[in-house]
Amino acid sequence: MEMNSLTHLTNSIPWQRLTTAYGRGTDIPQLIETRQYEELANLIEHQSTLWQTTPWVLLILLQELTKQKPEQVSSQEIQLYLAVASAINVDEMDSQNAVETMNELLDEKYLWPEDEEDDELWWEEEEPRGYEQEAFFSYYSFSYLLLKDAIPVFTAIMRGNDKLAPAIQELLLMLQSKDVRTVE
């Protein structure tokens, strides 16, 4: 396991300046490292809302997922992907504007201040920083693209892990556009 590249990627993301459903993303690197998928899922998806941290958590987890054998994958991890996928309306993914690249979401204009003292005031704003329409839509758009790119990985896990197969099958269906779905 290439922990160095994982650590580098994890450390290059300003977690403390990105928000989750319950405040800042400061604890996320530790949660990723200790594989606390349920806790992560609660932070990156809440009541069908995705947060600033969501695409970054997916990026890291999905990179790690490619290195796991199907029998090593936990159902909690698959549940995390299901939670995110269930918040995404696949058929709306093309209809709105996202930023060009995921890295743009780390531009200063979207990041929260270093100091957390005024967070409550920030949340009370009409459009809190990083939740302007284009940025907000981008959390869904990039999360969707990351999950979609992982379809071959999910498919391989499904074939190699009977216990996870039903949940992965559900996930794969969620990632398909309604006009692509076939009637069974």
Side-chain angles (χ1 to χ4, degrees), residues 27-70:
D27 297 337
I28 286 181
Q30 180 64 34
L31 294 171
I32 289 172
E33 207 171 301
T34 55
R35 298 193 154 111
Q36 304 289 313
Y37 299 116
E38 216 170 313
E39 187 61 36
L40 281 165
N42 290 331
L43 294 175
I44 68 170
E45 184 280 335
H46 181 66
Q47 296 178 340
S48 294
T49 301
L50 301 185
W51 304 84
Q52 281 181 304
T53 51
T54 308
W56 301 104
V57 169
L58 288 180
L59 179 70
I60 292 168
L61 291 181
L62 291 168
Q63 282 183 356
E64 286 306 294
L65 187 64
T66 62
K67 302 170 191 167
Q68 292 183 54
K69 293 185 174 79

Side-chain angles (χ1 to χ4, degrees), residues 50-105:
L50 301 185
W51 304 84
Q52 281 181 304
T53 51
T54 308
W56 301 104
V57 169
L58 288 180
L59 179 70
I60 292 168
L61 291 181
L62 291 168
Q63 282 183 356
E64 286 306 294
L65 187 64
T66 62
K67 302 170 191 167
Q68 292 183 54
K69 293 185 174 79
E71 63 276 10
Q72 294 175 307
V73 179
S74 75
S75 68
Q76 287 86 359
E77 184 171 4
I78 299 302
Q79 290 306 317
L80 176 145
Y81 301 129
L82 272 167
V84 172
S86 68
I88 297 169
N89 182 339
V90 172
D91 293 314
E92 286 178 6
M93 282 302 105
D94 296 331
S95 66
Q96 298 183 41
N97 294 334
V99 297
E100 294 267 321
T101 67
M102 225 169 106
N103 282 334
E104 272 182 68
L105 295 173

Side-chain angles (χ1 to χ4, degrees), residues 136-165:
F136 187 59
F137 177 71
S138 298
Y139 307 140
Y140 290 81
S141 178
F142 287 111
S143 295
Y144 171 63
L145 291 172
L146 288 163
L147 288 170
K148 212 170 144 76
D149 286 349
I151 286 176
V153 179
F154 292 134
T155 304
I157 294 167
M158 183 173 72
R159 291 193 180 122
N161 187 329
D162 292 344
K163 226 170 50 198
L164 296 180

